[in-house]
Amino acid sequence: MKMFLLAMLCATAGAASADADQAVVLEGARLIDGTGKAPRENSVIVLQGDRITAVGTAGKVKVPKGARVVDVHGRTIMPGLINAHGHVGLVADGKNKADAYTRENILPQLVQYEQFGVTSIMALGLNRDLGYEIRDEQRKGGIPGASLFLAGRGIGVPDAAPPVPVAPDQVYRPQTVDEAVADVREVAAHHPDMLKLWVDDIYGKFPKMKPEVFKAAIDEAHKNKIRVAAHVFYLADAKALVSAGIDALAHSIRDQPVDAELVKAMKAKGTYYVPTFTVDESAFVFAEDPAVARDPMLPQAVSGDLIQQWQGAEYKNKVANDANTPKIKAALATGMKNLKTLQDAGVHIAFGTDSGALPERIPGWGEHHELELLVRAGLSPMDAIVTATQNSAAAIKATDRGTLEPGKRADFLVLAADPTTDIRNTRQLVTVWHNGREIAPIISAAAPAPAK
Ligand SMILES: [Zn+2]
């Protein structure tokens, strides 16, 4: 019996490595490479293991002998989505819970992101140390789902932002500069992929982080070669953060129009801007827009109970009577205008949703919806795609992905329709490829391939 098992294990291992050695060629698709270049018609993309080895036009690229050839005529290929601001382990059973940051809860969330075509996710703060174990195990090949990047716990404010029910070991809340420096040193020992700060009074409800605290945290993080992203709302705070060397503003500026001073500073420092319209819109859209609440893709991402609840009178009244709702709508409108201004001015825009932070910010579904919101704000579909691929990779310094070029990770989506003509076509997933492996999407748009 033992011998038999051993033989089986060996056979399985042999088969897996033979598989990994076999090159894969996807032939015939329209290819969007994530750089913003015009799509390439009738493309060929060659994969070996988890990497892309060649990209070109069919007939002009040498196809390795013995390769598995996949016919993708009529399809469009684009890089996998990279969410530079999401979360894991904060919501369980449709609710925010202080005990939700568990392995049992996080692993299915990573799978959900991946099945919607989000191949990498930066969990931007509120991570327990368990996150590092999961990340490191995943990097050794042990855990499926979207590639997890971590901004550790993050630095908040005592009894203030972030006002979410999390366990004490999910966020630092330093009182002083010295405590903030000590917290950054502690997090540095875990080798986070980024650090998160919260600089906001949450519609006037709480005291904000003091500038000397965020300056000290940013300086200490940079001494440890850690990039820093900040939750932000106000233009004045954004300016102070950019001047202090923040690497990314992790939400829209929503109190007033951005100005030339901010644009100049962000361009000079190469600061990234991550709008996350989902944060604002998700506070009211399910109560107010039946087309969104009845989106056929929604039940694949969130429970039917929750969708039903959002369409019920109690929830609708709660949203309608919340004194913050008009403020949030105004904030969203300002944020949308600011994105267009910053994009036109040439500021680096990356992509995020804050998915996973609250039940209404929905992993996987939210990323496709956010792309639509970017286009509604005035970005071209191609620009929206570039923010969610090349630019997000750069924002989180995941330089091995984000574009479809030789040497990059084989992370891409095969779509039944072209998202540069209608951004909603990112939802037309036929297959998701992640680290060179083919994954079935959560809903397949795979009607039979169109005739050649
Ligand atoms: Zn967040």
Side-chain angles (χ1 to χ4, degrees):
M1 186 63 190
K2 224 174 190 173
M3 282 299 286
F4 171 71
L5 265 178
L6 193 65
M8 256 188 37
L9 280 172
C10 292
T12 313
S17 64
D19 237 1
D21 287 344
Q22 187 187 26
V24 179
V25 178
L26 290 99
E27 207 173 73
R30 170 175 294 149
L31 186 99
I32 298 163
D33 69 5
T35 65
K37 267 194 307 210
R40 183 194 290 273
E41 301 301 328
N42 196 21
S43 71
V44 168
I45 176 163
V46 182
L47 323 180
Q48 185 85 56
D50 61 3
R51 300 283 163 161
I52 295 167
T53 56
V55 175
T57 302
K60 293 188 179 157
V61 173
K62 205 168 161 242
V63 171
K65 263 200 195 115
R68 173 188 162 207
V69 179
V70 184
D71 182 358
V72 281
H73 281 91
R75 307 300 196 196
T76 301
I77 288 177
M78 64 170 276
L81 299 171
I82 299 174
N83 185 350
H85 183 172
H87 293 279
V88 294
L90 304 183
V91 173
D93 307 321
K95 289 192 183 77
N96 284 91
K97 288 182 181 172
D99 60 358
Y101 205 96
T102 63
R103 203 179 164 88
E104 295 67 34
N105 197 21
I106 292 169
L107 300 197
Q109 291 174 359
L110 293 175
V111 167
Q112 176 164 327
Y113 276 115
E114 183 187 54
Q115 287 179 326
F116 275 91
V118 183
T119 46
S120 298
I121 152 115
M122 169 62 79
L124 201 66
L126 305 173
N127 300 288
R128 299 176 71 192
D129 292 351
L130 166 69
Y132 299 112
E133 281 173 38
I134 294 174
R135 177 195 67 178
D136 295 348
E137 207 178 315
Q138 188 188 50
R139 287 182 185 171
K140 286 182 203 140
I143 291 179
S147 299
L148 178 62
F149 292 80
L150 287 174
R153 300 180 188 186
I155 311 259
V157 182
D159 302 314
V164 281
V166 291
D169 67 349
Q170 277 178 273
V171 61
Y172 297 107
R173 297 189 187 271
Q175 302 266 11
T176 64
V177 164
D178 287 350
E179 283 177 18
V181 169
D183 291 341
V184 176
R185 285 183 185 159
E186 189 185 295
V187 81
H190 292 284
H191 306 290
D193 304 293
M194 218 165 185
L195 179 72
K196 168 77 172 282
L197 309 174
W198 280 265
V199 181
D200 193 3
D201 63 5
I202 316 291
Y203 292 100
K205 206 170 161 193
F206 298 113
K208 277 194 269 193
M209 186 181 287
K210 295 187 195 98
E212 62 263 32
V213 171
F214 68 68
K215 281 181 196 156
I218 293 169
D219 285 348
E220 187 61 29
H222 285 171
K223 274 184 208 154
N224 287 280
K225 302 202 164 27
I226 301 167
R227 291 165 68 73
V228 191
H231 169 116
V232 69
F233 184 94
Y234 299 96
L235 177 62
D237 294 333
K239 285 180 181 174
L241 284 159
V242 171
S243 143
I246 200 84
D247 299 286
L249 299 173
H251 293 297
S252 299
I253 292 162
R254 288 161 283 171
D255 64 320
Q256 56 176 300
V258 291
D259 60 14
E261 183 192 340
L262 179 79
V263 166
K264 191 173 164 213
M266 289 184 82
K267 287 179 75 172
K269 300 218 174 199
T271 319
Y272 280 82
Y273 183 84
V274 188
T276 68
F277 294 141
T278 295
V279 166
D280 312 298
E281 202 221 27
S282 65
F284 60 86
V285 74
F286 298 110
E288 296 190 359
D289 190 340
V292 175
R294 292 189 197 124
D295 181 333
M297 213 179 193
L298 203 52
Q300 307 302 318
V302 72
S303 79
D305 286 353
L306 214 47
I307 297 171
Q308 221 173 6
Q309 190 190 315
W310 293 338
Q311 293 180 324
E314 195 184 330
Y315 180 80
K316 286 184 177 177
N317 286 336
K318 193 181 122 215
V319 171
N321 297 326
D322 189 329
N324 275 349
T325 300
K327 295 182 203 168
I328 292 169
K329 288 181 181 174
L332 176 60
T334 303
M336 284 186 143
K337 285 198 193 108
N338 283 341
L339 172 63
K340 178 71 173 141
T341 306
L342 294 171
Q343 166 82 14
D344 289 349
V347 169
H348 298 313
I349 312 295
F351 178 78
T353 53
D354 217 13
S355 282
L358 295 175
E360 295 86 351
R361 302 179 194 164
I362 304 164
W365 181 87
E367 283 67 23
H368 294 278
H369 189 67
E370 179 81 21
L371 285 170
E372 272 186 68
L373 295 176
L374 297 180
V375 170
R376 214 178 289 169
L379 265 57
S380 69
M382 183 61 102
D383 286 339
I385 289 166
V386 171
T387 71
T389 56
Q390 173 182 263
N391 292 5
S392 274
I396 65 169
K397 277 275 181 289
T399 48
D400 59 346
R401 63 198 75 201
T403 56
L404 302 181
E405 298 172 295
K408 299 282 182 177
R409 273 181 194 279
D411 290 358
F412 57 89
L413 315 179
V414 179
L415 304 171
D418 181 355
T420 63
T421 57
D422 178 356
I423 195 65
R424 281 178 65 89
N425 288 340
T426 59
R427 301 154 62 108
Q428 299 290 315
L429 293 161
V430 177
T431 46
V432 175
W433 289 74
H434 184 201
N435 290 326
R437 289 179 48 227
E438 198 173 356
I439 288 136
I442 201 142
I443 296 189
S444 179
K452 284 176 213 168

